[in-house]
Amino acid sequence: MATGAVPASFTGLKTRDHRGLGLAKVSEFVKVSDLQRVRFRRTKIAVIRNSTNPGSETVELEPASEGSPLLVPRQKYCESIHKTIRRKTRTVMVGNVALGSEHPIRIQTMTTTDTKDVAATVEQVMRIADQGADIVRITVQGRKEADACFDIKNTLVQKNYNIPLVADIHFAPPVAMRVAECFDKIRVNPGNFADRRAQFEQLEYTDDDYQKELEHIEKVFSPLVEKCKEYGRAMRIGTNHGSLSDRIMSYYGDSPRGMVESAFEYARICRKLDFHNFVFSMKASNPVIMVQAYRLLVAEMNVLGWDYPLHLGVTEAGEGEDGRMKSAIGIGTLLMDGLGDTIRVSLTEAPEEEIDPCRRLANLGMRGAELQKGVAPFEEKHRRYFDFQRRSGQLPVQKEGEEVDYRGVLHRDGSVLMSVSLDQLKAPEQLYKALAAKLIVGMPFKDLATVDSILVRELPPQDDKNARLALKRLIDISMGVITPLSEQLTKRLPNALALVTLKELLSGAHKLLPEGSRLAVSVRGDEPYEELEILKSTDATMILHYIPYSEEKTSRVHAARRLFEYLDKNSLNFPVIHHIEFPKQVHRDDLVIGAGTNAGALLVDGLGDGILLEAPGQDFEFLRNTSFNLLQGCRMRNTKTEYVSCPSCGRTLFDLQEISAEIREKTSHLPGVSIAIMGCIVNGPGEMADADFGYVGGAPGKIDLYVGKTVVKRAIAMEQATDALIDLIKEHGRWVDPPTEE
């Protein structure tokens, strides 16, 4: 029988072996014994009972995934796995705005002006409020900025603007104390409020040393908590993946578990002082990490009976469609599970530009919860909530006697499929270019970011030799051509894949095709299990998961999870493509946010092998780029340079939008390379955990360059900094010259 000490939060314990637990040193230790391992379904579960108080709470832990050393609470992280139900929370008041499950999802942004410039900051806050934001955050890095906050607040009140203001605090407890007297909410970063900036050192603590660190945090943080209680202020305990302390990383790693425990250290102090007017956030620039951290946070809160609201955001998301896509993947995924009470879409654009996509995301989440979009209840055993492990469908293999190579119709890192019309087939060379194929003497060849397969809903007539030749040439380069069964039966295109519905399979209509014909099967995911049984005897090259956009109450996310559960339960490893159709004249932001939410919510769990977006009337190149952006945002297929770009704030030391555009223009052709563009280093070099190279404001007019988390060149004049960054990329062998037009 194992005996040991575990933290009261039971945050992600690691197993050393099958006999006991490897325990982390954290505050609020409780003595436990009677650690049992019992079988639950196919998984061994650790049941922990408190030996000092046998009647107290029992917590069951299980591996995050098969074979994982990370134990997580067995309790689910959301209200329902089969439909969208908002998580029940307490109400937190931020000035006159209420946050929580009984209220609308609030939208917010952050100013980019110098906080000491009162007039400019007031004007920007007014523009933001006029755009419909509920809350505005302002950076407050020093005493002068804190003093300016009083004038900002008073001026806004005089102009009849009562929008709540949030002070963004890093490294400066005295500043937080000062600004708490005038602003409505204080955001503290647990990674640097009381701890020094991380040096990425592995530290060794005795129990006494660790306890002293926690006592230091309590000593520094408690006065602010008491001040917020006195003035009726709110607080956000906002963990950032890039700025965890060395102490936290030494025990929990640079991980979602570390993010949660970092926040809980501060939350326990708030609770000890009977202060509950606070919210949590778990931000990261990687949407996959961000989603895992929030899920683990909620699972832990469920164990403890906590009901604090959530502020959602993907930090350093970037600009344009890239930034909107990353935010949709992270925020949208959580909204579909009913998580989130206020959101910010962080873009490298003017803060007013964040409001519209933020509102679209909030409306999507509110609508899903209002309709309780979902499917009939089902049991879920295979999806991994807390650690990413991709379910890879079986890629096509070549069969004896086949005339063409089908192995390229899907890509191992994630596939992009597109719908092609008869009109496009009238201009083959333009079509090849639109599919991002290389052209050599007018003939297409696949390239790094070429579309993998196309859906042709209507085949050209048999006598349209040119159009059919264009399709043949695409088939010859291993691009899949998929066409409905009715088209393939009446206007057969040799070596095309026939798209069949489940009903057509059940009727046997596909048997009219020539023997050996390849099939793609369109499945909704919410069909009766008796109908899905036909898949067990079907030799399908791929499945297209499709729910018509007109079906408002059916959630494609939950229908897909049900489908994947069925496939995994029956050991069916078909590749699954997320086929999403949008109405005519859909707004571009709605398309990006809808795709990021509805497909991203599955891809972040490793569920899915590609994407097919259909939007009548939308620009073909835009759809293709959106599809590849979605795969890259979900950490699947890299086809271009990845940027980690902060949204700017009052700390920013250069024109972030201008410099970001300049760097992108010169480096966007480097797939597999990740570049961080940061206005300052307030969140620490850990903010660039995903980046190979960093371009960071070090002082006014001066830039520091990083390789990973290490600064390698300091104080470079801004005029030479972009060229110096390119030279650095070349020095590390990651540069290639931009491709020239053939």
Side-chain angles (χ1 to χ4, degrees):
M1 182 179 297
T3 302
V6 299
S9 63
F10 299 105
T11 304
L13 303 171
K14 282 192 175 181
T15 54
R16 283 205 190 98
D17 51 43
H18 294 293
R19 297 183 303 252
L21 290 171
L23 302 173
K25 301 179 179 68
V26 298
S27 63
E28 298 187 21
F29 281 98
V30 291
K31 185 74 174 177
V32 301
S33 62
D34 196 18
L35 173 60
Q36 304 171 359
R37 286 188 173 272
V38 297
R39 286 202 175 275
F40 178 77
R41 301 185 185 127
R42 300 178 183 175
T43 309
K44 285 187 177 179
I45 295 173
V47 182
I48 301 177
R49 294 186 174 84
N50 191 334
S51 63
T52 60
N53 184 5
S56 67
E57 180 178 28
T58 296
V59 178
E60 293 184 353
L61 306 173
E62 65 182 350
S65 61
E66 189 71 27
S68 172
L70 176 64
L71 294 181
V72 295
R74 208 188 87 205
Q75 283 80 353
K76 300 299 183 190
Y77 67 90
C78 58
E79 297 291 321
S80 170
I81 64 165
H82 64 87
K83 61 182 176 180
T84 300
I85 301 177
R86 270 189 87 178
R87 168 181 167 262
K88 298 298 182 186
T89 75
R90 69 176 60 227
T91 293
V92 166
M93 295 302 301
V94 183
N96 58 358
V97 172
L99 295 184
S101 58
E102 299 303 313
H103 311 282
I105 296 172
R106 306 298 186 181
I107 58 180
Q108 57 179 285
T109 184
M110 187 173 185
T111 59
T112 59
T113 54
D114 181 346
T115 306
K116 297 191 298 296
D117 189 337
V118 173
T121 303
V122 167
E123 286 298 319
Q124 192 171 68
V125 171
M126 290 167 59
R127 290 197 301 273
I128 290 168
D130 291 342
Q131 288 294 319
D134 298 303
I135 299 169
V136 181
R137 181 157 46 112
I138 298 173
T139 187
V140 189
Q141 61 265 52
R143 184 76 184 194
K144 291 180 180 178
E145 286 80 6
D147 291 342
C149 288
F150 286 81
D151 294 331
I152 292 168
K153 182 71 172 180
N154 291 335
T155 305
L156 286 167
V157 170
Q158 290 167 13
K159 293 177 180 288
N160 293 318
Y161 281 82
N162 293 309
I163 187 169
L165 303 180
V166 182
D168 194 57
I169 302 293
H170 298 264
F171 303 110
V175 173
M177 292 289 289
R178 169 74 170 151
V179 79
E181 296 175 9
C182 67
F183 273 16
D184 304 281
K185 182 180 176 184
I186 307 297
R187 180 267 170 132
V188 297
N189 183 340
N192 59 33
F193 186 80
D195 286 295
R196 63 172 185 164
R197 190 193 299 279
Q199 306 299 310
F200 304 98
E201 300 170 347
Q202 185 69 28
L203 304 177
E204 295 293 336
Y205 287 98
T206 64
D207 289 350
D208 288 341
D209 290 338
Y210 199 95
Q211 189 59 38
K212 286 177 182 177
E213 291 271 349
L214 296 175
E215 290 169 1
H216 169 70
I217 292 173
E218 185 169 354
K219 181 179 179 181
V220 173
F221 183 54
S222 291
L224 178 61
V225 176
E226 297 287 10
K227 190 87 171 242
C228 287
K229 282 181 65 178
E230 177 187 354
Y231 281 82
R233 306 306 186 200
M235 186 181 293
R236 169 158 69 96
I237 301 174
T239 303
N240 197 302
H241 181 228
S243 56
L244 297 176
S245 67
D246 285 330
R247 174 176 47 79
I248 286 291
M249 287 192 286
S250 294
Y251 284 98
Y252 299 97
D254 188 9
S255 66
R257 191 161 62 93
M259 295 169 68
V260 171
E261 184 57 33
S262 181
F264 274 17
E265 289 179 349
Y266 281 70
R268 292 183 193 113
I269 296 169
C270 290
R271 290 176 57 83
K272 181 177 179 180
L273 297 173
D274 197 26
F275 177 70
H276 301 280
N277 201 44
F278 65 88
V279 304
F280 284 112
S281 67
M282 298 275 125
K283 294 194 178 185
S285 59
N286 180 336
V288 177
I289 295 291
M290 173 263 199
V291 168
Q292 291 171 0
Y294 277 102
R295 285 174 173 171
L296 186 58
L297 170 73
V298 175
E300 294 292 338
M301 282 203 283
N302 288 344
V303 168
L304 297 169
W306 295 1
D307 59 354
Y308 300 104
L310 300 178
H311 167 125
L312 305 185
V314 176
T315 190
E316 282 81 44
E319 63 185 5
E321 272 76 39
D322 286 2
R324 287 160 176 78
M325 179 60 77
K326 280 187 184 178
S327 292
I329 293 167
I331 298 171
T333 295
L334 296 167
L335 291 177
M336 287 300 97
D337 279 322
L339 306 181
D341 305 288
T342 178
I343 63 177
R344 183 205 174 183
V345 174
S346 299
L347 301 175
T348 310
E349 300 175 20
E352 305 95 297
E353 298 301 316
E354 295 182 354
I355 304 304
D356 183 65
C358 197
R359 182 183 294 111
R360 292 175 191 274
L361 258 175
N363 289 343
L364 195 67
M366 291 289 290
R367 185 69 174 159
E370 178 187 332
L371 294 174
Q372 293 203 353
K373 294 179 72 168
V375 294
F378 65 97
E379 190 175 27
E380 192 174 48
K381 300 179 183 179
H382 295 86
R383 183 164 64 97
R384 295 169 172 83
Y385 311 141
F386 303 107
D387 64 340
F388 180 83
Q389 189 168 341
R390 185 178 165 201
R391 171 203 178 271
S392 294
Q394 174 63 54
L395 293 174
V397 294
Q398 201 65 11
K399 299 177 183 177
E400 187 176 351
E402 289 184 323
E403 299 173 352
V404 297
D405 188 352
Y406 287 100
R407 290 173 294 181
V409 303
L410 296 176
H411 193 284
R412 65 181 181 183
D413 296 326
S415 305
V416 169
L417 285 70
M418 296 196 68
S419 182
V420 169
S421 68
L422 277 177
D423 283 343
Q424 288 175 288
L425 289 169
K426 293 175 181 176
E429 285 200 15
Q430 290 181 28
L431 173 61
Y432 301 153
K433 289 180 180 178
L435 295 169
K438 270 189 173 183
L439 283 179
I440 301 177
V441 198
M443 299 292 288
F445 292 88
K446 277 195 170 181
D447 202 0
L448 179 71
T450 304
V451 171
D452 300 289
S453 292
I454 59 173
L455 172 63
V456 183
R457 289 195 175 274
E458 185 180 356
L459 285 175
Q462 295 285 1
D463 59 359
D464 190 342
K465 304 298 184 184
N466 289 335
R468 295 179 78 87
L469 178 61
L471 290 173
K472 179 183 181 301
R473 284 178 172 166
L474 293 175
I475 291 172
D476 287 343
I477 63 169
S478 198
M479 183 178 291
V481 175
I482 305 167
T483 191
L485 175 63
S486 58
E487 290 291 295
Q488 189 65 345
L489 287 174
T490 56
K491 294 179 280 187
R492 181 173 177 267
L493 179 69
N495 303 309
L497 288 80
L499 179 62
V500 298
T501 64
L502 214 53
K503 287 185 178 179
E504 288 171 332
L505 273 184
L506 289 165
S507 72
H510 63 292
K511 295 177 182 177
L512 297 173
L513 292 168
E515 187 177 352
S517 294
R518 292 269 186 168
L519 300 179
V521 184
S522 183
V523 180
R524 293 173 52 94
D526 63 349
E527 298 94 342
Y529 289 121
E530 302 79 46
E531 292 184 17
L532 292 174
E533 289 290 302
I534 189 69
L535 293 174
K536 294 180 180 179
S537 58
T538 301
D539 183 14
T541 300
M542 68 183 82
I543 286 176
L544 271 57
H545 176 251
Y546 172 73
I547 298 282
Y549 69 84
S550 57
E551 297 193 20
E552 275 208 316
K553 291 208 71 172
T554 304
S555 163
R556 78 169 322 279
V557 171
H558 296 91
R561 287 175 179 170
R562 180 179 182 270
L563 172 62
F564 281 110
E565 187 64 32
Y566 176 84
L567 295 176
D568 287 349
K569 179 181 178 181
N570 292 281
S571 301
L572 300 174
N573 61 347
F574 301 117
V576 178
I577 304 300
H578 297 297
H579 182 187
I580 306 177
E581 187 181 33
F582 294 91
K584 288 183 179 180
Q585 277 74 53
V586 62
H587 191 283
R588 281 194 172 195
D589 278 0
D590 282 332
L591 190 150
V592 170
I593 288 168
T597 297
N598 287 297
L602 299 154
L603 295 175
V604 295
D605 286 333
L607 302 178
D609 300 275
I611 185 77
L612 166 56
L613 303 179
E614 283 195 278
Q618 274 291 352
D619 179 70
F620 196 80
E621 183 179 2
F622 167 71
L623 286 174
R624 188 191 72 229
N625 289 338
T626 299
S627 300
F628 280 108
N629 286 347
L630 174 56
L631 294 181
Q632 185 152 331
C634 292
R635 294 306 194 262
M636 292 176 67
R637 184 173 175 181
N638 277 314
T639 52
K640 63 179 184 179
T641 313
E642 179 76 14
Y643 296 98
V644 178
S645 179
C646 81
S648 187
C649 70
R651 292 182 173 87
T652 302
L653 297 169
F654 55 82
D655 187 325
L656 198 61
Q657 293 182 56
E658 179 183 331
I659 294 298
S660 178
E662 177 185 316
I663 292 174
R664 286 170 184 263
E665 182 183 357
K666 295 183 178 181
T667 63
S668 62
H669 62 288
L670 303 172
V673 173
S674 179
I675 299 172
I677 308 168
M678 313 294 289
C680 69
I681 199 61
V682 66
N683 277 327
E687 202 67 78
M688 298 174 288
D690 285 340
D692 302 306
F693 303 96
Y695 180 109
V696 182
K702 301 293 183 182
I703 300 299
D704 297 338
L705 295 182
Y706 285 72
V707 174
K709 299 174 183 177
T710 304
V711 61
V712 293
K713 295 185 179 181
R714 293 187 184 275
I716 302 170
M718 190 176 300
E719 296 75 17
Q720 288 87 47
T722 301
D723 290 336
L725 172 65
I726 292 172
D727 289 340
L728 188 64
I729 296 172
K730 290 178 178 178
E731 288 172 19
H732 285 77
R734 305 294 299 277
W735 180 264
V736 295
D737 291 328
T740 55
E741 190 71 25
E742 292 287 346

